[in-house]
Amino acid sequence: MSQPKDVEVVTDVSRCRDIVKELEKSDVIAVDAEGVQLGKDGPLTLLQVGTVNHIVYLFDIHTNRNLFTQGKLQDVLTSPRITKVMHSCSGDSAALYYQFNIRIHNVFDTQVANLLLEESRGRELANLIKLEDLCQKYSSVAKVADQKDSVKDKWVREIGDLWAKRPLSEDMMQYAAGDVKAIVPEVYNTMKKRIEDSGLLDQLHKRVEEEILFTVDERMREQRKARVNEAIGRVLRTIDKTYKPDINWKDIDDPDVEMAIQRVHVNDVEALSPLINRLKRQSIQQDLDELEESFVSEDGVFNILNGRFDRSLKTGFSCKEPLIRDRTKTLQDRVVKITLDHIPRKYDVTTPVTYISRHEKDVLYWMRPPPSGEHDSRYNKVVLALYWKLMEADLDDTTQKFERETISYCMHEGHYRKIKFYMNQRTPVPLSIKMKALNFIKKLDKTFGRGVVPAKR
């Protein structure tokens, strides 16, 4: 395996300190991270830093977590002077905060900057943009690594914990280096000038702060939710004035209207006009059409495994129209089968539950019938192992939530019945789950009374 000449993999604390001293002389650097389902719980395993001269350092956190502290790498991330150029920093910042207690500062987020520039041109609900598309939009030469699609395909289909594998392959190094090479200096300089020329710099700082703290501060989550809902409402109020009552979903050519219809909850449209109701149903049917078409192509299966259609399935199940719900159930069964067939190829029985994707977790929840025990012969042993790990993680979360809230705690009756099922002596669930369920119900009984399900008051 050869290492690219302009890319250095860093595992040694002493070498890390030397690099940090050089990076601290920079005004601007590019930062990105890789990990296994990277986020609050998904482990961060690699941190990439790129300079304006396209020198890239790959800090191997999986091999040596001390690079942040003893290696002083955290000093660069928390520096208020050095600008960190990142693309969609929320997942990276969540991992840094929850896993390493690092609160990143002074970020120029190119995703947020693009959204603001689009909004300044009149867009209400601008789309998120992939890094490769961002490069084409704001640069004549910048591009991501040629290996990006093949590496991503590998972890989605074959190796779920790819970014925890060592040593790093040349393709992995090129992939990781490519993202930070792409955004500095040209993309950053172009976007920064447009932001400044549009008078959006202060607004950018506020929105990036929201992005950094989105998973940390409930106020930031509510702030973003309120802003998006207000934009959806503004767009929805224009529809009946703009379109004829008989227009169909396929004839809508305004991206803001498309986004508003897709984003409004199916239950909320009942209070709106018949036209919006009809367009919402048609949009759901089109999403289900796309899902059905995806079963016959390799790219389509990749999109299924990557969770591309999960929102469509959840929306379809929320719809009160029986035909849509029945069709959604049929398509979901096919999605579950495809995903369950892939899970044993990507993982084994020792895989931590934090290594599996949000889509794979959803599929494990969707399994029907659910596993009756840890040795249910209807399911593959890897699927069973991950299913019970997920159930145990959920039970841990439930217990922690109860301990935080105690007297104000409430829960759904179906969730209560499931935990009671776990603690039954004849239920063949893992012993650790049985004992945790027993302890939880004892605490619940002591707080609210024997057999009382704490409901919202």
Side-chain angles (χ1 to χ4, degrees), residues 73-251:
L73 183 55
Q74 65 181 14
D75 293 355
V76 175
L77 299 176
T78 59
S79 169
R81 189 190 66 78
I82 304 171
T83 298
K84 275 71 68 174
V85 186
M86 304 177 72
H87 186 71
S88 294
C89 72
S90 61
D92 297 354
S93 62
L96 288 166
Y97 182 86
Y98 285 103
Q99 297 173 36
F100 303 96
N101 198 29
I102 295 173
R103 202 292 210 183
I104 194 166
H105 286 276
N106 194 9
V107 172
F108 185 101
D109 191 313
T110 53
Q111 182 75 268
V112 176
N114 180 67
L115 289 175
L116 283 173
L117 289 169
E118 288 295 304
E119 290 168 12
S120 72
R121 299 184 186 105
R123 286 294 307 272
E124 288 277 11
L125 296 162
N127 290 316
L128 298 179
I129 187 171
K130 294 191 297 184
L131 180 58
E132 47 263 59
D133 295 332
L134 183 98
C135 290
Q136 291 180 8
K137 187 173 181 178
Y138 294 100
S139 170
S140 59
V141 295
K143 66 172 188 174
V144 299
D146 294 334
Q147 298 89 338
K148 193 173 183 77
D149 287 343
S150 63
V151 172
K152 187 171 184 179
D153 188 77
K154 186 171 290 187
W155 88 62
V156 169
R157 294 179 189 268
E158 303 171 25
I159 311 173
D161 60 349
L162 178 68
W163 289 106
K165 299 292 186 185
R166 295 295 182 271
L168 295 166
S169 69
E170 185 174 352
D171 278 355
M172 292 167 71
M173 285 189 279
Q174 292 283 16
Y175 175 108
D179 284 0
V180 288
K181 283 183 179 180
I183 54 176
V184 294
E186 187 182 2
V187 169
Y188 165 69
N189 288 336
T190 300
M191 298 191 80
K192 183 172 182 287
K193 185 175 188 307
R194 292 187 188 181
I195 287 286
E196 290 173 340
D197 290 347
S198 302
L200 295 170
L201 197 56
D202 287 344
Q203 197 170 346
L204 176 70
H205 291 157
K206 291 176 183 176
R207 288 276 284 271
V208 171
E209 192 74 358
E210 178 184 277
E211 195 77 4
I212 291 170
L213 297 176
F214 179 72
T215 62
V216 177
D217 190 334
E218 179 67 27
R219 293 171 302 171
M220 293 297 181
R221 282 197 293 275
E222 291 302 317
Q223 181 175 293
R224 179 196 285 185
K225 182 179 178 181
R227 187 179 65 252
V228 172
N229 285 342
E230 286 172 7
I232 291 172
R234 285 194 298 270
V235 175
L236 292 176
R237 287 192 290 273
T238 69
I239 291 176
D240 287 291
K241 302 173 185 175
T242 306
Y243 297 99
K244 294 180 180 179
D246 60 348
I247 192 169
N248 289 311
W249 173 247
K250 62 182 178 64
D251 298 317

Side-chain angles (χ1 to χ4, degrees), residues 354-372:
T354 53
Y355 279 25
I356 66 175
S357 70
R358 179 69 264 171
H359 165 73
E360 289 158 344
K361 289 177 182 177
D362 284 342
V363 163
L364 292 174
Y365 285 122
W366 291 339
M367 288 164 62
R368 291 293 179 271
S372 59

